[in-house]
Amino acid sequence: MAARVGRICGAGLFKSNTTSSLNQISSYSTTRDWSRGRKALVGSLGILAGGAGAIIFALDRSVRASELELHPPKNPWSHNGWFDSLDHASVRRGYEVYKQVCSACHSLRFIAYRNLVGVTHTEEEAKAEAEEQMITDGPDEAGNMFKRPGKLSDYIPSPYPNEEAARAANNGAYPPDLSYITLARHGGEDYIFALLTGYHDAPAGIALREGQYFNPYFVGGAISMAQSLYNEVIEYSDGTPASASQLAKDVSTFLKWTAEPEFDDRKRMMVKAIGIFTILTMVSYYAKRFKWASLKTRKIEFKPKSK
Amino acid sequence: MALSSAIYNTLFKRTSTFALIIVGSAFFFERGFDLGCDTFFDSYNKGKQWKDIKGNYSQ
């Protein structure tokens, strides 16, 4: 580092060879008219701000270093990449996993049955999915709430009426809503996959309380959700072998879709944006060369006045 | 040269026709560009999108 700085200085890049250029700089400087006290004040303010920034940065690094957390490995998702859409067959299987496994405890409040149409289900299938559920509606003429079969416009019903009921049923732990879970956790769908497949026995020295399980990907290691995905725990309607990792992969893809329903449109716009900006860059590069040509090819000659 | 000067004299010289040319070419460029991009995207993601698999579920 020092050698490199020395080489740059040696090359004379930072040296001002003549006093005239120094004079020029000082005559163009906007701080020329400042008083000594004002310069000192602004200078010390700059040092203070820089120092505060450095301290904040250093503190942030040290906090991260002290965390005992296992980061999920990056998986080669079929929707990774600049132009890759979601795998909708996988999203559909993921809905089956959510419906038959996750929905026992986790809500999906922000997804309505109409959202499934054209993404994972046809309209008839989505209507049939909705009609399986009894939705609380009302009040009727007598002021009572009543149950009715679901419609396309209904949101996916939650397993518990409120957070307190969910906590009471789960040893005080709250199963989070899964609608935006891949955006709400570090690592996104990689984290969901690692968490669902990462259960194993607690190592020696880790004490788990009643109703807790060990999962290294969960911060702290003690998670109140039991392992729920095993080989063949459900049967896929399209005949895909339902191994535990397949189930976890499909439900992670499904939750990626629930969190980012605009995913495919975004990737489609990516193609268009790259295309149009390539054209615009070429046009503006040409225009710049064209407009500057006369200036760049100009020669300036200095002729001292002869006495 | 004759062609370009003919195009210039008939189409680009008057502001009215020039403006028409701009609007018209913008329309056709937009349609063509969108179509090309969508075709690329759909062939790149063949078999993954809903329109590729919905035949399996609706008769």
Side-chain angles (χ1 to χ4, degrees):
Chain A
M1 187 66 198
R4 201 177 300 156
V5 169
R7 222 176 301 137
I8 290 171
C9 293
L13 274 178
F14 295 144
K15 270 184 192 161
S16 51
N17 295 325
T18 54
T19 49
S20 65
S21 67
L22 269 182
N23 288 339
Q24 220 171 17
I25 289 165
S26 76
S27 67
Y28 284 128
S29 169
T30 49
T31 61
R32 192 164 50 108
D33 303 330
W34 287 11
S35 66
R36 176 178 281 276
R38 188 171 177 192
K39 277 182 184 168
L41 178 70
V42 169
S44 47
L45 272 179
I47 292 170
L48 267 178
I55 287 175
I56 289 169
F57 180 73
L59 284 175
D60 185 51
R61 303 305 291 178
S62 66
V63 165
R64 287 199 187 169
S66 68
E67 265 175 24
L68 189 61
E69 186 187 339
L70 187 55
H71 294 283
K74 299 264 183 295
N75 294 311
W77 297 97
S78 67
H79 54 262
N80 279 354
W82 286 18
F83 309 130
D84 286 280
S85 74
L86 288 170
D87 184 358
H88 283 246
S90 181
V91 176
R92 185 185 167 101
R93 288 194 298 270
Y95 171 74
E96 289 176 18
V97 179
Y98 167 76
K99 185 184 158 194
Q100 297 179 40
V101 182
C102 314
S103 67
C105 300
H106 290 277
S107 58
L108 198 65
R109 281 187 294 150
F110 299 102
I111 297 296
Y113 287 101
R114 62 184 161 78
N115 297 131
L116 302 176
V117 176
V119 177
T120 58
H121 293 71
T122 64
E123 193 172 334
E124 289 72 38
E125 285 175 323
K127 273 180 185 160
E129 289 289 331
E131 278 164 9
E132 283 176 20
Q133 306 290 337
M134 293 305 279
I135 307 284
T136 309
D137 200 355
D140 58 10
E141 293 90 337
N144 300 318
M145 304 301 274
F146 58 91
K147 293 272 190 183
R148 61 159 172 79
K151 295 186 285 195
L152 271 187
S153 55
D154 285 316
Y155 284 81
I156 290 179
S158 305
Y160 304 107
N162 50 53
E163 183 179 334
E164 283 70 19
R167 283 191 190 281
N170 289 289
N171 273 337
Y174 177 49
D177 185 85
L178 294 184
S179 306
Y180 294 103
I181 201 76
T182 60
L183 292 176
R185 296 288 180 271
H186 285 294
E189 64 271 38
D190 286 319
Y191 168 77
I192 306 294
F193 180 87
L195 189 81
L196 290 174
T197 54
Y199 283 90
H200 56 79
D201 295 334
I206 301 260
L208 295 173
R209 280 181 292 142
E210 181 70 28
Q212 286 193 325
Y213 306 87
F214 183 75
N215 194 317
Y217 294 103
F218 192 73
V219 177
I223 186 169
S224 294
M225 179 174 91
Q227 180 174 2
S228 40
L229 296 184
Y230 299 94
N231 290 338
E232 312 292 337
V233 71
I234 69 165
E235 206 164 289
Y236 280 133
S237 62
D238 64 355
T240 307
S243 62
S245 60
Q246 177 78 39
L247 296 163
K249 175 239 169 190
D250 287 336
V251 82
S252 303
T253 315
F254 173 68
L255 293 175
K256 178 79 175 171
W257 170 75
T258 61
E260 296 165 51
E262 82 294 349
F263 189 89
D264 290 358
D265 289 333
R266 226 173 52 214
K267 293 296 179 77
R268 193 181 286 273
M269 287 311 289
M270 187 77 173
V271 180
K272 293 178 187 179
I274 286 179
I276 205 82
F277 279 115
T278 309
I279 295 171
L280 289 179
T281 308
M282 289 191 312
V283 168
S284 33
Y285 181 71
Y286 172 78
K288 187 262 167 189
R289 293 285 297 232
F290 184 77
K291 291 285 179 192
W292 280 72
S294 60
L295 197 71
K296 290 273 194 181
T297 53
R298 190 165 60 178
K299 271 186 186 169
I300 300 175
E301 210 170 286
F302 176 62
K303 273 188 191 165
K305 251 181 198 168
S306 54
K307 279 172 191 164
Chain B
M1 202 61 211
L3 181 69
S4 62
S5 61
I7 292 177
Y8 175 77
N9 281 326
T10 50
L11 299 177
F12 295 167
K13 200 170 178 181
R14 261 175 302 170
T15 305
S16 55
T17 51
F18 190 41
L20 269 181
I21 291 293
I22 290 173
V23 171
S25 57
F27 178 79
F28 285 107
F29 171 77
E30 160 96 52
R31 282 308 301 137
F33 185 78
D34 268 8
L35 219 62
C37 287
D38 285 342
T39 313
F40 166 76
F41 186 79
D42 292 341
S43 69
Y44 192 87
N45 292 301
K46 203 166 183 58
K48 284 163 78 181
Q49 297 188 84
W50 171 247
K51 61 180 145 204
D52 300 324
I53 61 166
K54 76 174 172 189
N56 305 341
Y57 307 112
S58 61
Q59 273 76 45

